[in-house]
Amino acid sequence: MIHTREEQMQSFGRLLDILDELRVKCPWDKKQTNESLRPNTIEEVYELCDALMKNDEKNICKELGDVLLHVVFYAKIGSEFGYFDIKDVCDRLCDKLIFRHPHVFGSLQVDTAEKVSENWEQIKLKEKDGNKTVLSGVPQALPSLIKAYRIQEKVHNVGFDWENRIEVWKKVKEEIQEFETEIGSMDKECAEMELGDILFSLINVARLYKINPDNALEHTNQKFIRRFNYLEEETKKKGTRLCDMSLDEMELLWEQAKNKGL
């Protein structure tokens, strides 16, 4: 059911009122700080990502609420110190969205989503308090795979990219050869660097073919978990343990899992 704008605003106001009361009356909520909330925020965002990956609409709604609570909570803490409140958060976001969408709120003509992304990076560099360099907007705390993808997206938007996506395969093969060389020399530190270069190049391949590498890897993670769980369950049914089975026996069950579409 889609509610009216008035109903939506009433619910948001109710959330603000509830948090105000919790902040005064609840011992746990009263003692929270930006620092203490941060680990919980990270967990909530990952739980939302899990629900999104599973396309679980019921849990997406629930987890969005949990993330929204954290946004409102940080704004509440900010207001207590006189730094900002939720209105400042919303106003700043609205101003940013309008400024970064001149093709919607201005006279700029843009025909494709890709062109919008390119303009986005250029506009961010022009903002008074925006990114000072192209890559300064990439959070250091991002997981390495996602960070590599965002780095490549950002430099693409200022024209630093492969002219032909086929060419990136040459780079992948080159990096694999360099990795094999370092493995052969048993230089672990150099081998680690070369493996990083392989992964970075493969992420570039995914991006150029419009595949999100983080989603791709997570789908493979989930597929492996389903198949391994099957292997483990079938092993228990036979009254034995995985550690007592041969690799050939485990491989047979693994193939059964694949044939069942797991």
Side-chain angles (χ1 to χ4, degrees), residues 2-258:
I2 304 302
H3 299 88
T4 66
R5 179 58 55 88
E6 182 180 357
E7 290 172 326
Q8 292 171 13
M9 296 306 296
Q10 285 176 347
S11 290
F12 188 65
R14 181 182 176 214
L15 171 60
L16 296 178
D17 291 340
I18 289 172
L19 186 58
D20 285 346
E21 192 164 356
L22 289 174
R23 191 68 171 159
V24 173
K25 299 180 180 179
C26 175
W28 187 89
D29 289 282
K30 191 188 301 185
K31 67 181 284 190
Q32 296 311 306
T33 64
N34 287 343
E35 184 178 357
S36 68
L37 281 174
R38 180 178 174 274
N40 295 28
T41 305
I42 294 170
E43 182 178 344
E44 296 297 355
V45 171
Y46 275 111
E47 288 178 357
L48 171 60
C49 290
D50 284 344
L52 291 168
M53 285 293 297
K54 296 171 183 174
N55 201 25
D56 184 342
E57 298 298 337
K58 182 178 179 180
N59 269 320
I60 290 173
C61 181
K62 172 183 173 295
E63 300 303 340
L64 280 172
D66 292 342
V67 172
L68 177 59
L69 171 60
H70 281 249
V71 172
V72 172
F73 212 138
Y74 288 118
K76 176 64 178 174
I77 293 172
S79 71
E80 292 169 353
F81 286 95
Y83 298 147
F84 58 85
D85 62 15
I86 194 66
K87 180 182 184 302
D88 297 309
V89 173
C90 291
D91 285 345
R92 186 164 182 177
L93 174 59
C94 290
D95 291 343
K96 180 171 68 175
L97 289 173
I98 291 170
F99 183 75
R100 292 187 184 177
H101 291 80
H103 54 287
V104 176
F105 301 104
S107 58
L108 183 67
Q109 297 296 315
V110 174
D111 299 324
T112 65
E114 186 175 58
K115 190 63 178 176
V116 170
S117 296
E118 292 174 6
N119 287 338
W120 186 274
E121 294 301 331
Q122 299 289 344
I123 291 169
K124 285 169 73 173
L125 291 171
K126 295 176 183 177
E127 286 178 338
K128 182 179 179 181
D129 58 349
N131 298 334
K132 303 305 179 186
T133 64
V134 172
L135 295 180
S136 63
V138 180
Q140 290 299 309
L142 275 179
S144 296
L145 190 152
I146 299 174
K147 185 190 293 185
Y149 188 73
R150 292 294 293 130
I151 288 170
Q152 293 170 11
E153 278 190 322
K154 283 184 172 291
V155 299
H156 161 79
N157 288 334
V158 293
F160 189 78
D161 205 353
W162 298 89
E163 289 187 2
N164 188 331
R165 65 185 183 183
I166 299 298
E167 294 175 359
V168 75
W169 286 109
K170 297 178 183 177
K171 186 64 175 175
V172 171
K173 293 173 183 176
E174 174 188 319
E175 298 297 355
I176 291 174
Q177 289 176 350
E178 291 177 1
F179 175 65
E180 290 175 340
T181 299
E182 297 300 343
I183 285 292
S185 65
M186 299 302 292
D187 188 329
K188 185 177 179 180
E189 184 176 343
C190 288
E192 183 180 272
M193 292 178 63
E194 295 301 339
L195 179 59
D197 290 345
I198 293 173
L199 295 173
F200 194 85
S201 297
L202 285 172
I203 291 168
N204 230 341
V205 169
R207 179 183 60 82
L208 290 169
Y209 283 87
K210 302 189 184 305
I211 297 171
N212 186 299
D214 187 62
N215 289 346
L217 181 58
E218 182 56 24
H219 285 310
T220 296
N221 288 339
Q222 294 303 319
K223 179 173 63 178
F224 186 93
I225 289 170
R226 289 194 302 272
R227 292 176 181 177
F228 192 84
N229 285 345
Y230 175 85
L231 189 156
E232 194 169 24
E233 289 165 6
E234 291 300 308
T235 301
K236 289 178 181 178
K237 289 178 183 178
K238 296 177 184 293
T240 185
R241 300 179 302 170
L242 286 172
C243 57
D244 296 328
M245 296 179 67
S246 69
L247 189 57
D248 286 341
E249 289 173 320
M250 286 191 281
E251 182 65 27
L252 182 62
L253 289 174
W254 187 268
E255 289 299 319
Q256 287 180 12
K258 288 175 66 175

